[in-house]
Amino acid sequence: LWHQTDFGDRLRLSANIAQASDGQYFEDFGLGPDGTSITYLDRHVGLSWLGRGWRLDGRVQDFQTIDLSIDPLARPYSRVPQFAFTGAWPVSERGLTTSLDAEATWFDRDAGTTGLRLDLAPRIAWPLRGPGYHFEPSATYRMTAYRLSDLAPGADDAPDRQAPILSLDGGLVFEREASVRRKLVQTLEPRLRYTWIPFRDQAELPVFDTALPDLNLVQLFRTNRYVGADRLGDANELAAGLTTRLIR
């Protein structure tokens, strides 16, 4: 059951509520390989509030495990609740901007470590854009802290991690007529991004919702090679990409 209600232009309620009667439900009634290979069923209710240059999201999320043979320590955590804030504000007329990404989430599960994670990432950037180019230096300071329960004896119940992130991102856009009759324009778009993140020992931090995704064009230019806040990959690297498009 999917539901969405807009309370005006700035407030939205969304809900995805589902329940399978048994572990064989999707094998019996699913259509195609995607419909019969469902391992977890996502259920969540969320409220989003949009402001001028910022957004606040709150949600409660749970997962029904369809395949009961999965080890309890390998099952996903519930977020009960999660609050996420993102915002950006101009600092000067020359384009200097500040932004903030913040999250507070309580992770719960029947087995393993549980607890609260706080993640803050203030950022300052100077995006320079014009016809055919963009160049953006930026600096971020990421802070992540925990309050944990159900730990092994002697483990730290309040670990944290702090690290600066520096990056330079630039690209060009060249274009030419590819077909006058069909009115096609072809672009050639080289892009370079340099990222520096120092090494931090994160062995004491839990892994609630973090993983390494498959490498693709989007992942190539991400600041953090991990998806999720539990791990921050150290980096001293240069990423290069080349894109071409046909536009009618």
Side-chain angles (χ1 to χ4, degrees):
L1 174 62
W2 167 254
H3 175 78
Q4 179 175 298
T5 299
D6 290 331
F7 302 100
D9 297 332
R10 297 183 180 274
L11 191 62
R12 169 176 291 178
L13 173 69
S14 60
N16 186 8
I17 303 172
Q19 178 73 27
S21 58
D22 58 79
Q24 304 300 317
Y25 177 88
F26 292 102
E27 293 185 12
D28 295 338
F29 299 103
L31 299 176
D34 292 339
T36 58
S37 60
I38 294 176
T39 307
Y40 305 103
L41 203 57
D42 177 18
R43 294 90 62 89
H44 66 265
V45 177
L47 192 65
S48 301
W49 186 14
L50 301 178
R52 293 186 176 181
W54 58 268
R55 172 173 177 158
L56 177 63
D57 292 281
R59 69 171 173 171
V60 176
Q61 183 181 32
D62 185 32
F63 296 89
Q64 180 187 1
T65 302
I66 304 301
D67 185 358
L68 297 180
S69 66
I70 297 176
D71 191 296
L73 291 174
R75 299 179 185 182
Y77 282 88
S78 300
R79 296 177 173 93
V80 284
Q82 177 186 43
F83 296 99
F85 175 87
T86 183
W89 306 272
V91 175
S92 69
E93 296 180 354
R94 296 185 177 182
L96 194 67
T97 62
T98 60
S99 62
L100 175 66
D101 290 313
E103 179 197 52
T105 307
W106 182 272
F107 293 93
D108 194 24
R109 195 173 62 180
D110 292 335
T113 300
T114 62
L116 174 68
R117 184 183 71 198
L118 301 175
D119 186 54
L120 295 174
R123 180 175 182 264
I124 186 167
W126 190 19
L128 303 173
R129 301 182 183 276
Y133 76 91
H134 77 271
F135 180 72
E136 182 174 324
S138 68
T140 306
Y141 196 78
R142 190 162 191 180
M143 301 165 282
T144 309
Y146 297 83
R147 294 295 182 269
L148 304 175
S149 304
D150 302 320
L151 294 165
D156 186 4
D157 65 351
D160 66 84
R161 180 201 62 228
Q162 302 180 34
I165 302 171
L166 303 178
S167 69
L168 290 172
D169 190 357
L172 299 171
V173 178
F174 303 97
E175 62 181 42
R176 67 171 186 174
E177 288 186 353
S179 174
V180 176
R181 178 178 298 178
R182 299 181 61 189
K183 298 181 180 180
L184 293 178
V185 174
Q186 182 184 14
T187 69
L188 190 65
E189 306 170 38
R191 182 181 176 185
L192 291 174
R193 180 185 177 95
Y194 172 74
T195 304
W196 178 80
I197 305 173
F199 171 79
R200 294 291 187 265
D201 186 357
Q202 303 169 81
E204 294 187 356
L205 303 185
V207 179
F208 288 137
D209 62 355
T210 300
L212 276 171
D214 296 333
L215 182 63
N216 53 44
L217 186 61
V218 174
Q219 180 67 12
L220 181 65
F221 293 102
R222 280 175 50 87
T223 300
N224 185 15
R225 64 175 177 262
Y226 292 94
V227 174
D230 298 314
R231 292 294 182 270
L232 181 63
D234 58 294
N236 185 11
E237 60 190 21
L238 181 67
L242 184 64
T243 301
T244 184
R245 313 174 200 263
L246 284 174
I247 304 172
R248 188 170 183 178

